[in-house]
Amino acid sequence: MQDNEKKNKKQEIYREAAKLFMEKGYNAASMRDLADRVQLKASSLYSHIGSKEEILVKICFDNAHRFTEGMDKVEKMNCNTAEKIESLLKLHIRTAIEETTAVTVFNDEWRHLSEPYLSDFISMRKDYENRFRKIIKLGVEEGDLKNVNAEVMLYSLLNSVHWLHKWYKPEGKIKAEELEKDIIEMLMGGVKIER
Amino acid sequence: MQDNEKKNKKQEIYREAAKLFMEKGYNAASMRDLADRVQLKASSLYSHIGSKEEILVKICFDNAHRFTEGMDKVEKMNCNTAEKIESLLKLHIRTAIEETTAVTVFNDEWRHLSEPYLSDFISMRKDYENRFRKIIKLGVEEGDLKNVNAEVMLYSLLNSVHWLHKWYKPEGKIKAEELEKDIIEMLMGGVKIER
DNA sequence: GTCTATAACTTGATAGAC
DNA sequence: GTCTATCAAGTTATAGAC
C-alpha cells in the first residue's frame, strides 16, 4: 500500500514536471516550483526521484521511442509512399493531441540533456529523419511525390506537425478529426485551388 | 572615436548575445559566457548595456516590427490572396535565412520576457496572426484557397516557415532560391502528384 | 571602460531529526 | 517519506579603485 502510494506520487511528480517544463522551460523551472505543485518540500522530491535531469531524460526518450516504433510499423506497411507519409503525419498529429505536454518537452527541451544522453538522443532523431527521408526519396523516384528537394520536403512536413502544440488546444473548437483531415489535405494537396 | 568604439562594442555584445541565446537558450546563457565571447569581464558588460533582458527585449521587438511592417506592405498589394500568402511566406523564409540568430531567439525565447514586455509582445503577435487569418478567410471565400479550417491553414503555413532555422543552414547545399521556390511550391500546391 | 570584489539571491542536491 | 537546515555553486548586477 505504501509502495503503491509512492508509485502514485512518483507518477504525479513526473506529470507535473512535464507541465512545468512546458510552461517555463527546463532551466527556468525549479525543483521548488515542482515541489509546490505536488505539495512537498523540494528536498522530499528526492525520495521519489534521483535528479531533475532524470525526469527530462525519461520524457525525451519515451517519446523518441514512440516515434521510432511508429516508423517501424510504417516501414512494414504494404502501400505507396504517399500513404506512408500520411501515416507518419497522423502519428505526429495524434501524439501532439494525446500527449501534449510530453511532446512539447520532447521538442523544446531536449537540448538541455547532458552527455551521454544528448548524443544518444540526437542519433535517435537523426535515424528517424533518415528513415523518413528515404521514404520521400523513393516517393519522388516512383512519381508519387513532386520533384521537390527531399530535405525541404522532409522538414516542411515535419515542422508543420512538429510544432502543433504551440497553437492547437485539444479542448478548443477544432476537433481532433478535423485537425487531422485538414492538415493532411493541406500538406498532401496544397492550399491553392488551380483555376 | 571613443564613442565609436563603444558603439562597436555594444553592437558586438548584441550580436554575440543573440548567438549565445540561440545556442544555449536565454536562461542557460550567462553574462559570464557572454563576457568571455566579447573578451570582457562580466561586470564590464554593464558599461555598454543596462541588463541581460534589455538584449532579449531588443531582439524580440526588432523582429516583431519587421514582420508587422512586412504585413503592412502585403495588405496594400493589389493582387489575389494566394499571391499575398506567397509574399508573406517569402518574408518569413528570407528573414530566417538572413537573420538566422535573431529569428531563432525571437521564436524560441520570447516567453522569457518579463512584464510588461511579455504582454506587449503577445499582442503584437496576435495582431499579426489576425491579419494573416483575415487574408486566408478572404481567400477561401473568393475560391482562391481550399476550404480548410482557417486556423489550421494559418498555423500549418506559419509552422512550416517559422521553424526553418531549426534545420536550414544558409552555408549548406541548398541555395536560398531553391529553398524559397520549393517551400512555396509545396505549401501552395501540396506534395502529392495526382494520377 | 575595464577591472576586482562582492552583494543579494537562486539553483540542485544532501544530512540528519522525526 | 517528509521535514528543517544547510551547502556549494551559480546567477545578475553594483561599488569603487584605477
Side-chain angles (χ1 to χ4, degrees), chain B:
Chain B
M1 198 57 181
Q2 269 183 330
D3 216 53
N4 213 340
E5 269 168 26
K6 189 184 165 187
K7 220 171 201 173
N8 290 341
K9 201 69 178 175
K10 186 170 180 173
Q11 285 175 345
E12 189 190 345
I13 290 169
Y14 270 91
R15 200 173 50 241
E16 289 301 318
K19 279 194 214 166
L20 198 61
F21 294 171
M22 171 175 74
E23 290 166 23
K24 297 190 157 197
Y26 178 74
N27 265 289
S30 78
M31 296 304 269
R32 286 171 182 81
D33 289 339
L34 177 56
D36 282 349
R37 297 218 182 177
V38 295
Q39 281 148 306
L40 283 178
K41 296 293 169 185
S43 58
S44 306
L45 291 170
Y46 294 90
S47 295
H48 303 277
I49 58 156
S51 69
K52 184 184 179 185
E53 186 171 27
E54 180 184 291
I55 307 178
L56 182 63
V57 168
K58 183 167 165 46
I59 297 173
C60 289
F61 283 88
D62 279 0
N63 281 279
H65 286 125
R66 181 201 305 270
F67 286 112
T68 301
E69 283 161 24
M71 181 61 85
D72 290 343
K73 279 186 197 156
V74 168
E75 284 178 339
K76 281 180 199 141
M77 283 168 62
N78 192 16
C79 61
N80 64 35
T81 50
E83 284 165 336
K84 283 187 181 178
I85 287 174
E86 277 192 39
S87 295
L88 289 169
L89 294 176
K90 279 182 190 167
L91 170 65
H92 281 272
I93 296 168
R94 284 178 192 174
T95 311
I97 294 170
E98 288 160 20
E99 301 288 336
T100 311
T101 55
V103 166
T104 304
V105 175
F106 164 76
N107 274 329
D108 295 355
E109 308 299 333
W110 60 265
R111 66 172 162 169
H112 296 113
L113 290 168
S114 68
E115 296 295 353
Y117 303 111
L118 184 61
S119 295
D120 287 349
F121 183 86
I122 292 174
S123 11
M124 284 188 78
R125 208 186 41 168
K126 277 198 183 144
D127 180 62
Y128 180 83
E129 288 172 358
N130 282 337
R131 294 162 78 183
F132 205 135
R133 192 168 8 236
K134 209 178 246 176
I135 295 175
I136 289 176
K137 282 190 175 163
L138 188 65
V140 173
E141 271 176 39
E142 291 180 345
D144 246 17
L145 302 175
K146 282 198 185 140
N147 190 17
V148 158
N149 184 297
E151 215 61 15
V152 178
M153 193 183 291
L154 172 63
Y155 290 109
S156 291
L157 292 176
L158 279 180
N159 271 350
S160 283
V161 292
H162 215 86
W163 306 96
L164 259 179
H165 62 273
K166 296 274 183 191
W167 67 273
Y168 180 72
K169 306 292 167 216
E171 66 276 15
K173 281 182 199 161
I174 304 169
K175 289 265 167 302
E177 300 76 36
E178 185 185 5
L179 179 74
E180 196 174 286
K181 186 177 95 6
D182 281 3
I183 291 188
I184 302 272
E185 184 181 334
M186 266 196 57
L187 293 179
M188 301 306 286
V191 299
K192 200 161 59 170
I193 294 174
E194 299 295 342
R195 52 177 186 179

Side-chain angles (χ1 to χ4, degrees), chain A residues 119-133:
Chain A
S119 295
D120 287 348
F121 183 86
I122 291 174
S123 12
M124 284 188 77
R125 208 186 41 169
K126 277 197 182 144
D127 179 62
Y128 179 84
E129 288 172 359
N130 282 336
R131 294 161 81 182
F132 206 136
R133 189 164 17 231

